[in-house]
Amino acid sequence: MTPHGVHTLLPEDVWRAARDAHQRRAAAATDPWQEKHARGEKDPVMDFLFEYYAFRPTRLKRWSPGVGGARQGDPPQQHRGQKGVA
């Protein structure tokens, strides 16, 4: 039985693999900008994304099973207080 509002319950091995793959892709896209930023170098496009919109790379690296999805073996209290996580 799944909790109310959950349409998909992902087995732990599946969601962990999806999360890890997502984090690798997100790191490949954001780590170069973070390194440039730390050195004080400018990147007009990435600076606009991360500074003007104040959208942090760490938010891009955070994986979610999506609306109606839940993770088997993942306690909900672990995500309490995170924006965008119910």
Side-chain angles (χ1 to χ4, degrees):
M1 186 167 129
T2 59
H4 178 70
V6 173
H7 303 288
T8 304
L9 185 60
L10 296 173
E12 190 167 357
D13 61 327
V14 171
W15 70 257
R16 286 189 184 276
R19 180 201 59 194
D20 294 347
H22 168 82
Q23 289 175 339
R24 283 191 300 274
R25 288 189 307 272
T30 60
D31 286 355
W33 176 81
Q34 288 181 291
E35 291 165 6
K36 278 183 165 181
H37 187 71
R39 292 191 302 264
E41 296 176 22
K42 298 290 181 190
D43 183 318
V45 174
M46 297 297 270
D47 290 348
F48 183 74
L49 175 65
F50 294 124
E51 293 173 5
Y52 181 82
Y53 285 111
F55 197 75
R56 298 285 152 244
T58 53
R59 295 277 313 273
L60 288 176
K61 293 176 182 178
R62 190 176 305 146
W63 179 83
S64 165
V67 175
R71 299 175 263 214
Q72 193 173 37
D74 188 32
Q77 64 270 17
Q78 177 180 336
H79 308 289
R80 200 169 281 152
Q82 290 182 359
K83 289 183 179 180
V85 178

